[in-house]
Amino acid sequence: MARNGSQVLLDALQARGAEYIFGIPGTLTLPVYDAMIDGAGATPIVTRHEQGAGFAADGYAKVSGNTGVVFTVPGPGGTNLATALRSAYEDAVPLVAVTATLADNMRDRSAIHDVDMEKALAGCVKKSFTPDSVAGIAPAVEAAFRWAAAGRPGPAQVVMKANLFQAEEERVIIAPEFEGPPPAPPVDERALDEIAESLLAARRPVIYAGNGVVAARCERQVQLLASKLGAPVVTSVKGRGILSEADPLSFGLVHFLGCEEMLEEADLCLALGTGFGQFATFYFKAPMPKNLIQIDIDPERVGRNYPASVGLVSDLKPALEGLIRRISDAEDAALTEGHVRVREGKRRYEERLRSFSTKPTEPPFHGLFVMKTLRENTSPDTIFVSDSSATQSWLMEQAFVVHRPRSILLSEAYQSMGYAVGAAIGAKLGAPERPVCAIVGDGSFTMTCGELATAAALDLSITYLIFNDGEYNALRHSQKHVFGERYIATSLNNPDCPALARGCGAHGHRVESAEALGSVIRESQAGGGVHVIDCPIDRDVLSSRWTRTVKSFRGGAATAPPPDAGD
């Protein structure tokens, strides 16, 4: 019996290892969901909004390292996905979006959901494929998966005409072909010779490791290289945990105490898999040595924001393995200036943190107290998911130590509000053995809180910690510091979040004392199910990172305040 297009699509997704299909069914896509009943392939995850489906697929891909799959109806289903796809594009997340569209004979007739889905999402995906027959579905899916994972990862699109879902598979001699991604460039051995010589000659080398290291799964190679050179490792936000931040060579983020001085004194920086984005470099003001060696798979990122003295376009893993072979005869570095600088920076912060911790705390809480309490009451392998803006920046405090990669998920470059609620669902599905905690602002939470019902329906164990200050607080602080305390359109009329959680089948908690905060975090992590913790936050204090961001925006000094600065 011939298969129909729906079965061919599901078989093609299964052949590429798809575990889940995130999305919402619609009239025109019901044949695919009907085929899922008899199939043994991917499990459908039905969300409450297509944007939530895209964010969930993003979180799944970031944690698992696999390609996420999202499936939408024509028209609004596909356009609702645009924000999530562009966020994944900016953050180099491999996704395949299967977007249904009308049959050719229904186009341009004022029919329901008539949108050219390829054009509508052209700026949100690396490549789009539209099969014209059932025979073309599997090749299109295969091509989309290859494009999503190739080079710098990102989303790819398969546009499925609705008439193909129930059409029978044709007998063909030659299957249609679709354009494949360009091959990775060969490693330039001469360039590696030059880079290895420079690394061995450097007296104060630094390694700056970005998300490309995580995507290429070469964290171990970075650790080996850092150990051989005695080089401190600085990471981008999404690269945190490449080297455990408890390691003597891990400096963490650029704004950590002492890091900028170290970069200014360094005589070489080896930048791996990073584009030196605005958020990571404080409007590109972070100092970098003139001797900057940059290795990245994307040629457009090499030298784009900081001039590279040596730029190498290459897959990171073979390049790093080549460098390690070239310096393998060198002895492991003993205590270096890099070790001393890392140790001194951590000591200075710990002194300030101890001073901060002696002060009494009561609601509304200082954000640093909340993050310190959260870190102390969660396991080292917890995955933290965050939305954009001020709430996200509290995760970047030096007191919040990250121990392993794929532990901090966020929409960094695109800064999508509403990201965390859906992404936490995907993260838990991608790594069911790891605890998941989403830190989300009250404004972001109410944008996508319908996905609580999705998480509860799936019986997932997720903690949602709401920073509730009653404001779009990142904007309020910009109004304070940039617009002379002229406030408008930033105050929120929030719902009763614990009651809302209970209405969705989750557990709802409101924190009313400092002692209760640690207790409820432990309960949420141990008790199973979805827990929503409504935590009152002092609206008038900012993280050190966000303070610097605001000052950079208004052109002020970019110096990090102590933990108790409160401004």
Side-chain angles (χ1 to χ4, degrees):
M1 181 178 177
R3 299 179 300 169
N4 63 25
S6 297
Q7 294 164 328
V8 171
L9 173 64
L10 294 176
D11 288 347
L13 293 172
Q14 183 180 10
R16 300 300 300 186
E19 289 188 280
Y20 301 102
I21 299 175
F22 298 91
I24 301 174
T27 302
L28 294 178
T29 60
L30 279 179
V32 179
Y33 284 88
D34 181 73
M36 291 182 192
I37 296 173
D38 301 319
T43 301
I45 303 297
V46 180
T47 60
R48 299 305 186 267
H49 193 277
E50 287 85 2
Q51 180 174 277
F55 287 150
D58 177 297
Y60 166 82
K62 283 177 178 172
V63 167
S64 68
N66 301 327
T67 298
V69 177
V70 61
F71 180 39
T72 67
V73 300
T79 54
N80 283 348
L81 191 60
T83 294
L85 289 180
R86 188 64 202 184
S87 179
Y89 190 105
E90 294 291 343
D91 286 342
V93 183
L95 297 183
V96 168
V98 182
T99 57
T101 192
L102 298 188
D104 287 337
N105 64 355
M106 294 298 293
R107 298 297 307 275
D108 302 321
R109 299 178 63 184
S110 298
I112 295 172
H113 296 342
D114 186 7
V115 175
D116 186 326
M117 291 312 308
E118 184 172 343
K119 288 183 179 179
L121 299 178
C124 303
V125 298
K126 294 172 66 177
K127 196 75 172 176
S128 184
F129 305 93
T130 305
D132 289 318
S133 64
V134 175
I137 295 174
V141 169
E142 180 182 0
F145 269 82
R146 290 173 61 198
W147 273 91
R152 186 170 188 266
Q157 179 186 21
V158 177
V159 180
M160 284 290 301
K161 297 178 180 180
N163 58 291
L164 296 183
F165 289 136
Q166 292 180 295
E168 288 193 352
E169 186 176 19
E170 309 93 348
R171 293 186 177 183
V172 295
I173 299 175
I174 301 177
E177 294 185 2
F178 291 91
E179 179 187 358
V187 178
D188 186 334
E189 300 294 339
R190 288 187 179 181
L192 288 186
D193 290 338
E194 180 183 351
I195 293 171
E197 288 180 10
S198 297
L199 289 174
L200 291 172
R203 294 180 58 247
R204 296 181 300 278
V206 175
I207 295 174
Y208 190 108
N211 185 53
V213 172
V214 180
R217 305 190 187 197
C218 50
E219 299 92 342
R220 179 58 180 159
Q221 287 79 2
V222 172
Q223 295 164 12
L224 287 171
L225 193 61
S227 178
K228 279 288 183 184
L229 299 172
V233 176
V234 183
T235 71
S236 67
V237 176
K238 297 193 296 294
R240 295 185 72 182
I242 287 171
L243 192 66
S244 169
E245 290 173 0
D247 189 284
L249 277 175
S250 174
F251 220 123
L253 301 174
V254 168
H255 75 279
F256 283 8
L257 280 177
C259 187
E260 286 187 315
E261 296 94 324
M262 179 193 68
L263 288 170
E264 288 172 346
E265 296 170 1
D267 58 357
L268 180 148
C269 177
L270 176 63
L272 305 169
T274 178
F276 292 117
Q278 174 183 327
F279 191 70
T281 60
F282 300 109
Y283 287 70
F284 317 110
K285 293 179 180 179
M288 291 294 160
K290 290 184 179 179
N291 191 6
L292 176 62
I293 299 171
Q294 189 172 2
I295 305 177
D296 200 285
I297 189 62
D298 185 352
E300 294 185 0
R301 287 156 57 90
V302 175
R304 181 175 62 183
N305 291 324
Y306 287 85
S309 54
V310 178
L312 176 60
V313 178
S314 172
D315 276 339
L316 279 178
K317 183 167 286 188
L320 287 173
E321 289 173 345
L323 289 176
I324 291 169
R325 284 195 303 271
R326 285 164 170 79
I327 66 171
S328 60
D329 292 337
E331 295 183 3
D332 284 354
L335 186 65
T336 65
E337 291 183 32
H339 288 85
V340 174
R341 176 65 81 181
V342 172
R343 187 172 60 189
E344 175 63 16
K346 290 179 177 179
R347 183 191 65 77
R348 287 165 57 194
Y349 187 82
E350 286 169 358
E351 289 178 355
R352 293 185 177 188
L353 188 61
R354 279 195 294 271
S355 174
F356 167 81
S357 299
T358 61
K359 299 180 180 180
T361 301
E362 59 183 23
F365 300 113
H366 193 294
L368 180 59
F369 169 77
V370 178
M371 299 314 298
K372 183 173 178 291
T373 304
L374 179 65
R375 180 72 281 184
E376 290 171 348
N377 289 278
T378 50
S379 66
D381 66 337
T382 301
I383 298 167
F384 296 95
V385 191
S386 183
D387 269 284
S388 64
S389 70
T391 301
Q392 179 191 95
S393 69
W394 285 111
L395 272 173
M396 309 312 153
E397 283 292 328
Q398 208 156 343
F400 198 87
V401 179
V402 178
H403 297 277
R404 57 184 288 190
R406 303 184 189 273
S407 295
I408 299 287
L409 310 187
L410 48 99
S411 174
E412 183 183 2
Y414 208 54
Q415 289 284 286
S416 304
M417 293 182 69
Y419 171 82
V421 183
I425 294 171
K428 189 62 181 180
L429 292 171
E433 76 285 358
R434 297 179 65 183
V436 173
C437 178
I439 299 92
V440 56
D442 47 354
S444 292
F445 175 76
T446 51
M447 284 185 177
T448 54
C449 58
E451 302 306 341
L452 282 182
T454 305
L458 294 169
D459 196 26
L460 300 177
S461 294
I462 301 174
T463 299
Y464 290 97
L465 177 60
I466 302 173
F467 272 47
N468 194 338
D469 52 29
E471 305 278 350
Y472 286 130
N473 208 24
L475 301 177
R476 182 179 179 276
H477 276 278
S478 291
Q479 291 173 338
K480 176 181 179 180
H481 293 287
V482 181
F483 294 93
E485 300 187 43
R486 291 164 58 84
Y487 300 115
I488 186 172
T490 53
S491 295
L492 299 174
N493 178 25
N494 285 327
D496 183 330
C497 293
L500 175 63
R502 290 189 287 271
C504 292
H507 305 278
H509 313 268
R510 178 170 286 111
V511 178
E512 297 180 344
S513 69
E515 295 75 18
L517 179 59
S519 175
V520 75
I521 290 172
R522 291 191 298 273
E523 177 186 346
S524 72
Q525 294 281 284
V530 179
H531 290 256
V532 175
I533 302 173
D534 187 359
C535 186
I537 297 293
D538 186 341
R539 70 179 186 177
D540 293 320
V541 296
L542 288 171
S543 71
S544 60
R545 185 182 187 92
W546 198 257
T547 298
R548 293 191 61 188
T549 300
V550 171
K551 288 182 176 180
S552 294
F553 180 72
R554 67 178 178 176
T559 55
D564 58 347
D567 62 355

